Amino acid sequence: MAANGVLKAFVSGYPRNGNEAHPTELVPFIKRADHLQFVYLASLRLRLPLSVQLGLADKSKRWIDRCSYSAAKDADIFLCYSGAGLGTMRKLKKQVSPTKCVVEAVNTHVGVQQQMLIEEYRKIGYAKPLFSAVETERRLEEYSMADAILCPSQFVKDSFVAEGFAAESIHVVNYGFTPKDFADVTKAVETDTFNLLYVGQIHVRKGLHYLIKAFEAIDHPQKKLRLVGPLTEEPGIDIDSLPAGVELVGVLKGNDLKQAYRDADVFVQPSIEEGLSLVIAEALCEGCPVIATTNTGADEIIEDGKGGWIVPPQDPSAIATRLQLLADDSDRLRQAREDARLAAQAIGGWNRTESQLMHVLNKIAGN
């Protein structure tokens, strides 16, 4: 938006001392609202109770919302992250402001998302997941009040349409991706081990219990599954009795993460619900073929059978079938790696996102 001369202000909750500074071109537009975000992030690092984390997240979003109105009241479009714009939207609507209100929903409709998780927790014998009732109600009101909703994938859009929203008011704008950081090293030498990789949170929502079932089902004398990512309070798997060959690695960053992708034969993203999983793109850029569920936005990144496979969620047999084909046929696996590289070259970058976003914003503004 800044590059196209349409950004008036950027109200940011990103910590000013974060690992990635805001791009220089955004500095003149930034209005910082990160005060409570510091406290929320500290609660995550200290692993405070989930109820405390949810409460702090709620307060941080409300502060961002409060800091937004002064800039939004004279703008053509107010674009907010879901859960962080209700107060501003209420004021604009009360004043019958011409400002169009747009909500960015990075995940599925909150009602759809919660129902998916409730059903999954019940299946695996977990207690009902803890949701913030206040956050849920705020998001629902934002949805109903918004003039339009942005989402990162068709999967997310479909969840809103299923809840009765008009398809023409829901717009897909894919996340951008910069593949150069993941495309500069040759694939590691082949070994006799069949190496599988997952990258992401260790959480029920990620469907890791289905991946582990699929791993156990495949027949290979030297199979290995590495689970890379932060452990949560509700992992969905028994971390104290993982099957032989399954390794819980923890968080990897930078070159260590790149090496994990290079060492893997197949990357698996078994999520039950995602907005758009960019780790799929990261894997492809390292020549690592992907198996991902339909509920990850994977079809925004790959075509089924070309660089990877898209399977139904909650279906370990579908994952195992494709893994077994690759485990049994080294030529097929080598071809899959080459297809992954080709698929990576076709991934849309930030220029595509910019083009999509500007088209959508102009449409919403009536230009």
Side-chain angles (χ1 to χ4, degrees):
M1 289 190 285
N4 285 273
V6 300
L7 182 62
K8 180 183 178 184
F10 174 31
V11 181
S12 174
Y14 187 83
R16 64 195 70 192
N17 65 341
N19 293 330
E20 298 178 5
H22 290 102
T24 303
E25 60 269 23
L26 288 182
V27 172
F29 305 98
I30 291 176
K31 182 177 182 180
R32 297 198 181 274
D34 57 352
H35 310 78
L36 293 174
Q37 190 72 0
F38 281 117
V39 182
Y40 166 62
L41 292 176
S43 76
L44 298 181
R45 288 192 294 270
L46 295 172
R47 299 182 68 83
L48 298 182
L50 183 57
S51 59
V52 174
Q53 295 176 15
L54 290 174
L56 290 171
D58 175 71
K59 291 181 183 301
S60 177
K61 289 178 182 177
R62 287 176 182 272
W63 178 246
I64 293 170
D65 185 4
R66 183 176 178 180
C67 293
S68 297
Y69 175 70
S70 60
K73 64 181 180 180
D74 298 318
D76 295 311
I77 293 177
F78 169 54
L79 171 59
C80 69
Y81 185 87
S82 181
L86 181 58
T88 296
M89 292 172 66
R90 283 173 173 168
K91 291 180 181 179
L92 292 171
K93 296 297 183 180
K94 184 177 181 179
Q95 296 165 2
V96 196
S97 168
T99 302
K100 298 291 186 181
C101 296
V102 182
V103 173
E104 180 184 10
V106 300
N107 289 94
T108 53
H109 183 286
V110 66
V112 173
Q113 181 189 59
Q114 291 183 5
Q115 189 57 42
M116 286 181 179
L117 290 178
I118 288 170
E119 292 175 359
E120 194 59 41
Y121 275 57
R122 178 181 53 78
K123 283 183 183 178
I124 64 176
Y126 269 39
K128 183 179 177 181
L130 178 62
F131 302 117
S132 168
V134 173
E135 168 82 1
T136 299
E137 290 302 315
R138 189 163 70 245
R139 290 193 182 197
L140 291 173
E141 188 174 345
E142 281 179 348
Y143 297 161
S144 63
M145 196 176 292
D147 296 290
I149 295 173
L150 294 186
C151 51
S153 66
Q154 186 64 40
F155 170 60
V156 174
K157 177 174 180 174
D158 289 345
S159 74
F160 280 87
V161 174
E163 290 296 298
F165 287 78
E168 57 269 23
S169 69
I170 316 297
H171 304 274
V172 175
V173 176
N174 301 137
Y175 297 144
F177 181 72
T178 306
K180 62 181 180 181
D181 292 336
F182 287 88
D184 57 355
V185 180
T186 303
K187 182 73 178 179
V189 176
E190 293 182 22
T191 68
D192 293 332
T193 304
F194 188 49
N195 292 297
L196 310 182
L197 176 68
Y198 162 83
V199 176
Q201 281 190 328
I202 311 302
H203 189 272
V204 175
R205 187 171 67 91
K206 300 294 187 173
L208 294 176
H209 44 300
Y210 295 111
L211 173 55
I212 289 177
K213 287 181 181 178
F215 174 78
E216 291 182 295
I218 60 174
D219 181 21
H220 193 281
Q222 297 185 54
K223 59 183 179 180
K224 183 177 180 180
L225 169 60
R226 301 183 77 199
L227 305 178
V228 174
L231 182 66
T232 68
E233 294 181 1
E234 298 170 317
I237 56 176
D238 186 350
I239 61 173
D240 294 322
S241 59
L242 294 173
V246 179
E247 178 186 7
L248 191 61
V249 178
V251 176
L252 296 179
K253 298 181 180 179
N255 289 331
D256 290 335
L257 178 58
K258 294 178 186 180
Q259 191 63 51
Y261 284 120
R262 295 179 208 129
D263 291 341
D265 292 303
V266 186
F267 175 81
V268 187
Q269 179 58 289
S271 292
I272 296 164
E273 189 274 340
E274 294 270 352
L276 181 62
S277 180
L278 288 181
V279 288
I280 294 172
E282 293 179 359
L284 293 172
C285 287
E286 290 301 336
C288 184
V290 169
I291 297 173
T293 67
T294 54
N295 292 12
T296 62
D299 52 3
E300 307 284 339
I301 301 173
I302 60 172
E303 182 179 347
D304 187 39
K306 295 184 178 180
W309 293 266
I310 302 174
V311 299
Q314 303 161 306
D315 189 346
S317 64
I319 297 174
T321 296
R322 284 154 183 80
L323 288 174
Q324 194 66 60
L325 289 173
L326 297 172
D328 290 342
D329 190 335
S330 58
D331 289 335
R332 184 191 290 264
L333 180 55
R334 278 190 288 271
Q335 183 60 54
R337 290 172 181 162
E338 182 58 32
D339 290 344
R341 292 190 184 92
L342 293 174
Q345 295 172 13
I347 295 173
W350 285 105
N351 288 338
R352 179 189 66 172
T353 301
E354 177 185 343
S355 177
Q356 289 179 340
L357 180 58
M358 291 308 303
H359 174 75
V360 167
L361 293 180
N362 278 312
K363 185 176 180 180
I364 294 170
N367 297 333

